[in-house]
């Protein structure tokens, strides 16, 4: 369904050009759940934004191809891509409270998504049809019920700050699903929520994936969640994808030293009683990257060529690949 | 219940107004330069002792302070602001006569300022760091620092004297006949179909309104811009775009509503300050409004008039702030106490 | 003997006897070192920020003008030579004795402008200084200790805020009469309220932070906490506000002088100069224009400096 090739997003800064997304490529098959994992600042959120053409100023998408159902999204005009946003590809964000507009009622915000893409089932269309009137209201209520918001008839008249965190996120999912998109981009949807609520939201997303066959790209820094929830994983570091493959395989038999390092250092992945081995060093400055593998300064098996030349993709089996010189 | 809160807030202004009245009264009575009778004597020359006594009685100046205060407050409750010394007329009536002129000017300035400032603020934020942005911020910076009276003088110098596009003073041209219905020249000329008067009134209004609006325009433009910049960075704006909304809708509906919330407060405070700016602008442009009345009264030591006018100003300011608070409460759904 | 210096406490381990004086000397040397570091950092920042730099330089220029007025002014600002009434500026009349021309009684305009800077700066700086000290002091106390003082002051400030600024100043001047000290009083009377509200708000916010709790637990007295812990954290916004208010007060003073409610008529003040020139606008435009320019540039410079300071001192700098 989605083929991303050589995507690159740059930000001009005083220190130099910051390569937030640096030659990223991956594929997503129909109805698949792909996890995009990595530490904070490694470019995963920016990748999602680039897919939708929403890279914030002063960043720019400078290279690459995003093939969605045949079309290259990066080549579309603004008008054309607007038709895709919300309708074919939808996005949900990390902090639900700041994602909902605080001055509009929740029901209104859901109805707006429907209205824009002419998905309203009523005859009364146009800017001023309010969700409080009949058929629109029905539709919104149905949506809210589908995502599990209790008492939707009252709730749709309320404002975002009157909802709890979990319900806010559900409302955002309702907005995202309102036009039945084929692809859902989820940027750390559970990070700002309590653990119990996290599980509920993830269940909801899984349900959506199974019932509607919606593809999901889940961005998270929590490997455990990704391992549990996603079918395939892509591990990102410093703006590049380091490893990609089936989730189970990546977790149990990691190919890339970074992935290995992560698995050794995260408390929820290391068996109880075993020592935690942190990865030495710091995340590099994305504006001053060295040539070669970005992980090389911290890698325990790095060699000369690792530091000098960007590593190639090496596939060990169909669907499992990593960018590492040590695999050749 | 929001309305209960609004009512409560409104009622709270009453003690403030009373406080203001008392403060004004005390100030006038307790300051050394303030014996009105002496000053009146200065105007009139030699007067007999009996005359002095009579005047003192008329103005209640022979009674103890608290009694004077009582008279003052009771008069105030009946909307009686006393008599002007220099003009020998009730203060209330004098002010009322001049009020429409001031209101008209203030309203025009307000609208003009907003009409310029808000779009510029929005555009500057949307096209950040563009030429428009830098230019408008630079100009607005100038606008902030300009003394109002000087701007007025320069405008007169340039546009009235040198170019002759606008008249130099006054509210309407001398020979134009206008029937007075509301006291607002623009309205009256429209109502009576008097296009010559309308045009003349507009021409006279333009420069003063521009002068008065300049500072407010600058402040509001900057405020709108910075507000919008912050709002445009927010997630809900990105979500609005991600929903597929057209950019115009994103900016004007989603972003603007939020950006206007803090702006409203600033605008209201500025609008309140218009009453003060009135004095200067009205003096520079010879505008027959309350502001100029006050300035003349001050220079002539006409204390009842000054007192009355200052109180009116203060009351209006309080009311404006109250309305700003109410407006803010209405716009911002988070305030629903 | 071993010193482990910090700004407010000095830990000494010694096995000899050190006199108290020695201790003090060391303390002060350390404090001076830290101070001069701060000054160096600040100057560096100001130079790097064009807004602050230009603003600051212009302001210093004005201050120099005010201080050196007797030396700089080519002629007397008080006595006019009636034969030079309304003389045109040098580039028009060719007479370079009066570079900017003369006013309506023959006084050299340039000299008057130079001397006028004294009034504006003295009034502005004193009024701001007074408002700053009073407002901050009251704000600190009210915000920290709250209670009856706080409510009383809040009522008072509400009352004062009920008047628009200029109206209030005009009113006060009308009541107590013209004059330099009266002018300062009039401006400060309401000026302190802004500082009070800012400081009080910030103190209330800072009070809940952990470092205050930590200081209290370590036995610091309330006053010490106020002045040595909280105040430094409030300083940046205070300084910025002071600068911006200075600009506003300079313009207000000019406006008051313009209306005839400023200093005594004999003292040259820019506002009254503009007013005097109004009658001659058609024939001698320079009498009003140049003083007005002087006001404008000073206000502009002060505003620029304040904006630049805000950029420097505000930790929430612009995003790259």
């Amino acid at each position: 369904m989605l083929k991303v090739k050589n995507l690159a997003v740059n930000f001009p800064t005083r220190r130099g050009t910051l390569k937030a997304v640096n030659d990223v490529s991956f594929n997503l098959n129909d109805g698949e759940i792909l996890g995009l994992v990595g530490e904070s600042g490694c470019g995963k959120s920016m990748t999602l934004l680039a897919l939708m053409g929403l890279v914030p100023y002063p960043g720019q998408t400078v290279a690459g191809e995003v093939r969605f159902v045949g079309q290259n999204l990066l080549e579309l005009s603004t008008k054309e891509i607007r038709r895709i946003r919300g309708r074919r590809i939808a996005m949900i964000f990390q902090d639900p409270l700041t994602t909902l507009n605080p001055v509009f009622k929740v029901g209104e915000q859901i109805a707006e998504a429907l209205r824009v893409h002419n998905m309203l089932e009523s005859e009364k269309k146009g800017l001023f049809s309010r969700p409080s009137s009949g058929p629109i209201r029905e539709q919104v209520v149905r949506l809210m019920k589908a995502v599990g918001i209790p008492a939707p008839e009252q709730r749709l008249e309320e404002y975002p700050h009157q909802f709890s965190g979990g319900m806010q996120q559900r409302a955002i999912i309702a907005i995202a699903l309102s036009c039945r998109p084929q692809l859902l981009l989820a940027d750390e949807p559970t990070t700002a929520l309590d653990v119990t609520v996290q599980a509920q939201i993830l269940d909801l997303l899984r349900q959506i994936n199974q019932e509607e066959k919606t593809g999901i790209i889940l961005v998270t820094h929590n490997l455990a969640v990704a391992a549990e929830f996603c079918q395939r994983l892509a591990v990102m570091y410093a703006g590049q994808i380091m490893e990609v493959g089936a989730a189970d395989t990546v977790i149990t038999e990691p190919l890339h030293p970074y992935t290995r390092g992560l698995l050794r250092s995260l408390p929820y992945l290391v068996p109880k009683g075993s020592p935690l081995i942190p990865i030495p060093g710091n995340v590099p400055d994305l504006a001053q990257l060295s040539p070669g593998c970005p992980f090389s300064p911290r890698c325990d098996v790095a060699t000369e060529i690792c530091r000098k030349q960007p590593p190639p993709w090496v596939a060990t089996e169909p669907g499992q690949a990593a960018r590492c010189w040590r695999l050749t | 219940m929001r309305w209960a809160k609004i009512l409560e807030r409104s009622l709270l202004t009453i003690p403030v107004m009373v406080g203001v009245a008392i403060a004004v009264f005390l100030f006038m009575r307790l300051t050394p330069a303030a014996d009105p009778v002496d000053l009146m004597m200065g105007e009139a020359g030699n007067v007999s002792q009996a005359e002095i006594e009579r005047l003192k009685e008329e103005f209640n100046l022979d009674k103890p302070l608290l009694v004077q205060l009582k008279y003052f407050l009771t008069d105030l409750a009946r909307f009686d602001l006393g008599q002007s010394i220099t003009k020998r007329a009730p203060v209330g009536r004098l002010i009322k006569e001049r009020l429409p002129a001031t209101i008209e000017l203030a309203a025009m300035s307000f609208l003009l300022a907003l009409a310029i400032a808000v779009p510029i603020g929005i555009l500057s934020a949307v096209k950040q760091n563009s030429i428009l942005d830098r230019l408008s911020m630079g100009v607005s910076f100038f606008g902030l620092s300009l003394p109002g009276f000087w701007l007025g003088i320069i405008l007169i110098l340039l546009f009235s004297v040198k170019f002759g596009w606008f008249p130099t003073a006054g509210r309407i041209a001398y020979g134009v006949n206008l029937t007075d219905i509301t006291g607002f020249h623009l309205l009256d000329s429209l109502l009576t179909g008097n296009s010559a008067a309308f045009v003349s009134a507009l021409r006279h209004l333009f420069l003063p309104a521009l002068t008065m609006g300049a500072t407010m325009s600058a402040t509001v433009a900057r405020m709108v811009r910075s507000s919008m910049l912050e709002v445009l960075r927010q997630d809900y704006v990105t979500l609005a775009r991600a929903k597929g909304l057209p950019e115009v809708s994103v900016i004007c509906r989603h972003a603007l509503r939020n950006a206007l919330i803090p702006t409203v407060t600033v605008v209201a405070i500025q609008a309140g300050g218009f009453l003060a700016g009135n004095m200067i602008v009205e003096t520079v442009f010879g505008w027959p409004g309350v502001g100029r009345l006050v300035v003349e009264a001050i220079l002539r030591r006409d204390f009842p008039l000054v007192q009355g006018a200052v109180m009116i100003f203060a009351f209006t300011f309080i009311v404006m702030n109250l309305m700003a608070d109410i407006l803010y409460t209405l716009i911002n759904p988070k305030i629903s106490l | 003997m071993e010193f482990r210096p910090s700004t407010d406490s000095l830990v000494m381990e010694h096995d000899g006897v050190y006199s108290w004086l020695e201790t003090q000397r060391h303390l002060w040397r350390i404090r001076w070192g830290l101070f001069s570091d701060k000054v160096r950092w600040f100057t560096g920042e100001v130079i790097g920020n064009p807004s602050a730099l230009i603003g600051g330089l212009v302001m210093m220029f004005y201050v120099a003008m005010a201080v050196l007025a007797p030396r700089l002014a080519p002629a007397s600002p008080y006595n006019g030579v009636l034969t030079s009434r309304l003389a045109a500026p040098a580039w028009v009349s060719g007479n370079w004795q009066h570079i900017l021309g003369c006013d309506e009684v023959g006084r050299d305009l340039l000299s008057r402008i130079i001397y006028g800077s004294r009034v504006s700066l003295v009034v502005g700086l004193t009024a701001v200084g007074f408002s700053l000290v009073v407002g901050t002091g009251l704000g600190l106390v009210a915000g920290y200790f709250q209670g009856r003082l706080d409510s009383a002051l809040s009522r008072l400030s509400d009352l004062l805020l009920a008047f628009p600024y200029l109206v209030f100043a005009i009113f006060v001047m009308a009541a107590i009469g013209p004059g330099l000290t009266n002018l300062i009083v009039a401006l400060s009377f309401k000026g302190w309220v802004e500082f009070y509200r800012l400081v009080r708000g910030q103190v209330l916010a800072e009070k809940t932070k952990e470092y205050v709790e930590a200081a209290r637990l370590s036995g610091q007295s309330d006053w010490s906490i106020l002045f040595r812990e909280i105040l430094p954290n409030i300083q940046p916004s205070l300084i910025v506000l002071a600068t911006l208010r200075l600009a506003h007060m300079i313009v207000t003073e000019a406006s008051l002088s313009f209306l005839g409610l400023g200093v005594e008529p004999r003292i040259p003040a820019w506002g009254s100069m503009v007013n005097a020139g109004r009658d001659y606008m058609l024939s001698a435009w320079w009498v009003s224009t140049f003083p007005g320019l002087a006001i404008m540039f000073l206000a502009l410079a002060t505003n620029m400096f304040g904006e630049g300071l805000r950029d420097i001192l505000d930790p929430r700098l612009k995003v790259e």
Side-chain angles (χ1 to χ4, degrees):
Chain A
M1 174 181 12
L2 181 73
K3 283 195 184 37
V4 177
K5 266 200 271 195
N6 308 113
L7 188 62
V9 174
N10 285 352
F11 278 77
T13 68
R14 265 185 284 188
R15 298 192 308 274
T17 310
L18 193 144
K19 300 199 176 127
V21 177
N22 194 352
D23 192 23
V24 161
S25 310
F26 60 88
N27 295 338
L28 184 76
N29 304 315
D30 288 337
E32 193 177 44
I33 303 183
L34 172 70
L36 205 53
V37 298
E39 295 168 80
S40 307
C42 70
K44 9 190 243 295
S45 304
M46 202 55 68
T47 310
L48 287 189
L49 288 173
L51 293 182
M52 295 262 259
L54 288 173
V55 173
Y57 173 85
Q60 273 184 322
T61 312
V62 296
E65 218 183 64
V66 176
R67 289 221 161 263
F68 179 66
V69 195
Q71 284 176 307
N72 182 357
L73 296 181
L74 297 177
E75 282 173 1
L76 292 180
S77 71
T78 323
K79 215 164 143 201
E80 288 165 344
I81 201 158
R82 266 202 292 117
R83 266 188 290 202
I84 305 229
R85 287 182 197 154
R87 173 83 182 78
R88 317 273 287 284
I89 309 182
M91 191 155 168
I92 58 183
F93 294 85
Q94 178 173 331
D95 185 356
L97 183 57
T98 59
T99 316
L100 289 170
N101 195 327
V103 296
F104 293 124
K105 295 186 187 155
V106 175
E108 173 60 35
Q109 298 190 45
I110 300 179
E112 191 179 34
L114 292 167
R115 197 179 298 135
V116 162
H117 295 288
N118 288 320
M119 300 282 290
L120 289 178
E121 289 164 8
S122 78
E123 294 86 44
K124 277 204 316 192
K125 293 193 187 153
L127 273 173
F128 295 106
S129 35
R130 295 243 154 273
S132 38
S133 47
I136 306 170
R137 191 196 166 95
E138 287 298 311
Q139 216 178 340
V140 172
V141 167
R142 253 185 293 140
L143 266 174
M144 290 171 81
K145 275 213 189 98
V147 296
I149 299 178
E153 293 87 1
Q154 286 100 295
R155 287 296 189 170
L156 66 81
E157 294 287 336
E158 288 180 2
Y159 289 95
H161 63 272
Q162 292 169 288
F163 277 37
S164 73
M167 282 210 280
Q168 286 165 350
Q169 196 63 294
R170 287 177 199 269
I172 294 178
I173 297 177
I175 295 177
L177 296 181
S178 54
C179 304
R180 311 185 72 154
Q182 293 162 286
L183 175 60
L184 182 64
L185 304 176
D187 188 356
E188 311 233 28
T190 54
T191 313
L193 302 170
D194 297 330
V195 182
T196 43
V197 183
Q198 273 187 26
Q200 292 170 352
I201 298 289
L202 287 174
D203 273 340
L204 177 59
L205 289 176
R206 192 176 296 149
Q207 190 188 341
I208 294 165
N209 167 257
Q210 282 166 347
E211 287 176 11
E212 308 279 338
K213 299 279 176 279
T214 317
I216 301 183
I217 301 185
L218 178 76
V219 162
T220 178
H221 60 259
N222 188 331
L223 269 184
V225 164
E228 153 80 33
F229 184 73
C230 307
Q231 292 151 349
R232 287 178 63 230
L233 281 186
V235 179
M236 272 187 87
Y237 181 78
Q240 296 179 20
I241 300 199
M242 295 282 122
E243 180 167 352
V244 81
D248 295 325
T249 324
V250 171
I251 298 291
T252 48
E253 293 166 10
L255 293 172
H256 198 279
Y258 176 58
T259 323
R260 271 204 301 271
L262 273 182
L263 292 167
R264 276 198 307 239
S265 65
L266 296 169
Y268 44 80
L269 288 176
V270 172
K272 224 170 155 177
S274 311
L276 293 174
I277 309 174
I279 309 178
N282 287 316
V283 179
D285 182 357
L286 292 177
Q288 290 165 347
L289 287 171
S290 50
C293 179
F295 187 59
S296 47
R298 306 167 73 184
C299 183
D300 48 356
V301 296
T303 57
E304 264 312 295
I305 193 174
C306 293
R307 281 181 263 271
K308 291 242 182 67
Q309 290 209 16
W313 277 103
V314 176
T316 52
E317 12 174 318
Q320 298 293 122
R323 293 181 90 168
C324 187
W325 282 111
R326 300 300 309 232
L327 292 173
T328 50
Chain B
M1 255 269 86
R2 222 185 259 173
W3 297 106
K5 188 76 178 175
I6 291 180
L7 192 63
E8 187 193 326
R9 180 81 181 80
S10 314
L11 288 176
L12 273 178
T13 59
I14 296 184
V16 182
M17 292 207 217
V18 173
V20 165
I22 297 181
V24 170
F25 169 85
L26 285 177
F27 222 86
M28 299 267 51
R29 293 286 178 282
L30 296 178
T31 51
D35 192 342
V37 183
D38 276 345
L39 297 155
M40 280 192 292
M41 294 307 106
E43 295 254 321
N46 272 327
V47 192
S48 70
Q49 191 61 20
E51 188 68 16
I52 295 181
E53 294 299 320
R54 189 186 71 77
L55 277 169
K56 277 211 156 107
E57 218 202 298
E58 188 185 322
F59 285 95
N60 286 326
L61 289 171
D62 49 342
K63 309 242 182 30
L65 205 62
L66 278 175
V67 179
Q68 288 192 40
L69 182 59
K70 189 175 70 118
Y71 278 122
F72 177 69
L73 287 176
T74 42
D75 280 344
L76 198 59
R78 283 181 290 134
F79 298 113
D80 176 7
L81 291 165
Q83 287 274 96
S84 155
I85 299 177
T86 53
K87 299 209 189 228
R88 309 272 172 201
V91 169
R93 181 158 65 84
L94 287 170
I95 293 182
K96 212 156 61 139
E97 279 171 2
R98 304 268 198 134
L99 209 49
T102 300
I103 294 181
E104 198 173 30
L105 179 59
M108 267 298 280
S109 314
F110 191 71
L111 291 174
L112 195 62
L114 282 184
I116 297 179
V118 173
I120 288 191
I122 299 178
L123 281 174
S124 301
V126 169
K127 295 197 193 308
Q128 199 186 359
N129 287 334
S130 64
I131 298 186
L132 170 73
D133 184 21
R134 291 190 200 226
L135 201 63
S136 64
M137 283 305 110
V139 168
S140 70
F141 206 68
F142 256 86
L144 279 179
S145 325
L146 272 178
F149 61 90
W150 193 72
L151 176 64
I153 290 183
I154 294 291
L155 283 179
I156 292 182
L157 207 60
L158 278 178
F159 293 109
S160 301
V161 174
K162 261 217 148 60
F163 296 152
W165 291 344
F166 294 101
T168 50
R171 212 179 154 198
I172 199 164
Y174 190 56
V176 175
N177 272 325
L178 181 62
T179 36
D180 227 2
I181 310 178
T182 56
F184 295 108
H185 287 348
L186 284 181
L187 270 180
D188 289 339
S189 51
L190 279 176
L191 287 172
T192 55
N194 189 343
S195 60
F198 188 72
V199 169
S200 178
L202 262 186
R203 283 182 75 216
H204 279 83
L205 257 178
F206 189 69
L207 285 183
L210 200 61
T211 310
M212 232 170 76
T215 314
M216 173 162 148
S217 213
T219 318
V220 171
R222 306 188 116 232
M223 181 80 214
V224 168
R225 176 185 182 269
S226 80
S227 225
M228 276 295 276
L229 279 179
E230 240 190 78
V231 163
L232 285 174
R233 274 207 294 253
Q234 296 291 325
D235 280 340
Y236 53 81
V237 171
T238 319
L239 182 71
R241 293 205 180 104
K243 272 194 213 169
L245 291 173
E247 191 70 11
V248 174
S249 179
V250 170
I251 297 176
C252 293
R253 216 164 97 82
H254 284 263
L256 195 55
R257 268 290 292 266
N258 281 279
L260 282 182
I261 293 178
T263 314
V264 159
T265 334
V266 171
V267 167
I269 296 179
Q270 288 277 315
F274 262 17
L275 300 170
N278 260 335
M279 292 196 205
I280 295 183
V281 171
E282 286 187 15
T283 309
V284 170
F285 286 93
W287 191 262
V290 184
R292 213 172 70 142
L293 183 68
V294 173
V295 173
E296 287 168 2
I298 289 177
L299 292 174
R300 292 203 221 140
R301 302 261 172 247
D302 186 347
F303 283 98
L305 191 50
V306 175
Q307 187 176 276
V310 170
M311 278 198 304
I312 298 280
F313 280 160
F315 289 169
T316 318
F317 193 56
I318 296 175
V319 168
M320 295 285 299
N321 278 344
L322 178 67
M323 295 213 292
D325 276 348
I326 295 179
L327 194 61
Y328 185 84
T329 315
L330 288 177
I331 291 188
N332 189 351
K334 284 193 194 164
I335 318 272
S336 55
L337 311 151
Chain C
M1 128 147 226
E2 202 183 271
F3 282 102
R4 268 178 274 132
S6 69
T7 36
D8 15 79
S9 68
L10 198 64
V11 176
M12 266 173 23
E13 289 169 18
H14 60 285
D15 33 39
V17 175
Y18 259 79
S19 74
W20 175 83
L21 262 159
E22 287 289 331
T23 323
Q24 294 302 310
R25 242 191 69 218
H26 280 283
L27 264 175
W28 277 106
R29 207 176 307 154
I30 294 165
R31 288 200 187 117
W32 173 250
L34 290 164
F35 179 69
S36 63
D37 279 342
K38 263 193 227 165
V39 170
R40 220 172 298 151
W41 168 82
F42 184 70
T43 330
E45 284 290 323
V46 169
I47 293 180
N49 185 323
S51 184
L53 184 62
I54 299 180
L57 284 177
V58 175
M59 278 175 79
M60 288 206 300
F61 171 72
Y62 272 89
V63 170
M65 196 163 72
V67 168
L68 299 173
R71 298 282 197 86
L72 285 177
S76 161
Y78 303 110
N79 307 317
V81 182
L82 282 175
T83 46
S84 326
R85 277 193 85 213
L86 297 177
W91 56 87
V92 172
S93 71
N95 178 5
W96 285 90
Q97 248 205 329
H98 300 289
I99 301 182
L100 293 178
C102 289
D103 68 356
E104 73 282 4
V105 284
R107 294 177 286 206
D108 178 41
L109 217 52
L110 181 61
S111 312
R112 295 207 85 207
I113 291 181
I114 292 178
Y115 269 84
S117 64
R118 295 187 142 185
V119 172
S120 295
L121 280 172
V122 163
V123 170
L125 288 170
T126 319
V128 166
F130 193 71
S131 304
L132 179 77
V133 168
V134 170
T136 309
L138 289 178
L140 283 174
V141 170
Y144 194 75
F145 296 111
Q146 292 191 281
R148 282 177 312 182
L149 182 66
D150 185 24
S151 4
L153 281 177
S154 296
R155 290 281 158 68
L156 181 61
S157 63
D158 276 343
L159 191 62
L160 282 175
L161 283 176
F163 296 87
Y165 194 69
L166 199 59
V167 171
F168 189 76
I170 290 179
F171 181 57
V172 171
M173 286 306 287
I176 61 181
L180 188 66
T181 31
N182 292 354
L183 194 50
I184 297 178
V185 167
L187 289 177
S188 318
F189 216 98
K190 197 161 179 255
W192 66 268
V193 178
E194 276 225 16
F195 289 96
Y196 167 76
R197 296 229 302 188
L198 177 73
V199 169
R200 179 176 174 276
Q202 297 229 307
V203 168
L204 282 177
E206 297 289 312
K207 237 177 35 163
T208 56
K209 294 201 179 153
E210 285 100 10
Y211 70 88
V212 173
E213 190 62 35
R216 210 178 292 155
L217 284 172
S218 68
Q220 252 185 306
S221 78
D222 282 328
W223 289 101
S224 172
I225 296 178
L226 255 186
F227 284 101
R228 296 165 99 179
E229 305 282 345
I230 297 186
L231 188 57
N233 280 292
I234 299 183
Q235 263 171 359
S237 31
L238 212 55
I239 295 177
V240 172
L241 184 67
T243 329
L244 296 174
R245 294 309 293 167
L246 179 63
H248 190 250
M249 287 202 182
I250 292 175
V251 174
T252 311
E253 179 272 319
S255 310
L256 286 172
S257 301
F258 175 78
L259 291 174
L261 293 168
V263 291
E264 298 92 350
R266 215 182 92 83
I267 303 180
W270 292 330
S272 41
M273 282 159 66
V274 175
N275 188 24
R278 270 180 72 201
D279 294 330
Y280 308 97
M281 264 199 295
L282 291 161
S283 46
W285 51 269
W286 50 91
V287 185
S288 287
T289 314
F290 289 127
L293 279 176
I295 305 172
M296 187 179 88
F297 283 128
L298 181 57
L300 197 61
T302 315
N303 269 326
M304 282 177 78
F305 189 61
E307 285 282 322
L309 272 188
R310 185 189 288 164
D311 284 342
I312 296 175
L313 295 174
D314 189 345
R316 293 182 302 130
L317 281 179
K318 296 180 272 236
V319 186
E320 271 190 40

